[in-house]
Amino acid sequence: TEQSQIIQLTKMGVDGFILALSMTSVHLKLFQKIREKNYPFVFVDRRVKGYPAVYSDDIQGAYQITQYI
């Protein structure tokens, strides 16, 4: 499970997490636990209210691809 994998990674001494969620995966209790343990983390291309996230610019990316090819 996601929770067991995150626990394993914290035991291995990771510094933080970059999380890419599926459309159906939202485990708010798990993310709250990560926050409480002061592990930095950020979601990629997914908004979860109250949590940090970064987003890709699909339009700019498509433009750059067309310019390249």
Side-chain angles (χ1 to χ4, degrees):
T1 66
E2 292 172 339
Q3 184 170 353
S4 63
Q5 292 172 342
I6 287 174
I7 290 169
Q8 181 68 22
L9 289 167
T10 59
K11 288 179 181 179
M12 295 170 63
V14 299
D15 293 325
F17 298 95
I18 299 171
L19 302 169
L21 301 177
S22 70
M23 293 298 284
T24 60
S25 176
V26 177
H27 300 287
L28 295 178
K29 289 181 183 180
L30 175 58
F31 307 139
Q32 184 61 35
K33 286 181 184 179
I34 296 170
R35 179 183 274 173
E36 288 170 359
K37 294 184 183 265
N38 293 319
Y39 280 99
F41 67 95
V42 64
F43 293 108
V44 177
D45 284 334
R46 197 71 68 226
R47 285 187 170 93
V48 179
K49 187 176 180 178
Y51 292 94
V54 296
Y55 307 96
S56 59
D57 183 343
D58 294 339
I59 294 171
Q60 181 62 30
Y63 174 78
Q64 289 176 347
I65 289 170
T66 60
Q67 295 304 302
Y68 181 75
I69 56 173

